[in-house]
Amino acid sequence: MAFTIGTVGGHGVVHAEGELDVGNAQELRAAVNAALDVQPGLVVDLADVTFMDSVTLGVLIGAYNRARAGGGAFAVVCTDERVGRIFRITGLDQVFTIVGSLEAASEAL
């Protein structure tokens, strides 16, 4: 899996696709950290993700904490119902700003 890094509305964006699990968590962490090295705010675009595990949640929580500690905002783009359900079950939907598109993320931050 390859992660792409870009920007939207002055915030870093990390786009992922497919399945996120322990096998690619280090790559995701590296991409997130690279984006946060350049911009204080971060959008993690999971619109094309169909599965994620608890290790991925740990990476996202770390990214959220780093963004907030650096004075930046954090949002997640999520359109897959199964992935969204994981956020609801864990209560992270009450912590993260979760939106349906990059445009909405830019507006929310």
Side-chain angles (χ1 to χ4, degrees):
M1 168 169 299
F3 299 97
T4 57
I5 301 171
T7 61
V8 63
H11 302 283
V13 176
V14 173
H15 175 81
E17 56 186 71
E19 296 185 357
L20 298 177
D21 57 26
V22 68
N24 54 27
Q26 290 294 8
E27 291 175 61
L28 175 60
R29 182 175 285 112
V32 162
N33 285 331
L36 285 169
D37 285 345
V38 176
Q39 302 284 344
L42 180 66
V43 177
V44 179
D45 184 359
L46 304 178
D48 296 322
V49 170
T50 57
F51 171 82
M52 67 180 187
D53 67 2
S54 60
V55 176
T56 303
L57 287 177
V59 172
L60 295 177
I61 291 167
Y64 169 83
N65 288 334
R66 182 170 173 206
R68 301 289 292 181
F74 180 84
V76 175
V77 176
C78 178
T79 57
D80 187 277
E81 179 56 33
R82 293 166 293 187
V83 174
R85 186 168 166 244
I86 293 168
F87 289 121
R88 288 189 301 279
I89 289 170
T90 59
L92 289 172
D93 63 328
Q94 302 299 309
V95 177
F96 299 159
T97 299
I98 300 176
V99 295
S101 69
L102 279 176
E103 294 78 21
S106 181
E107 291 173 10
L109 300 179

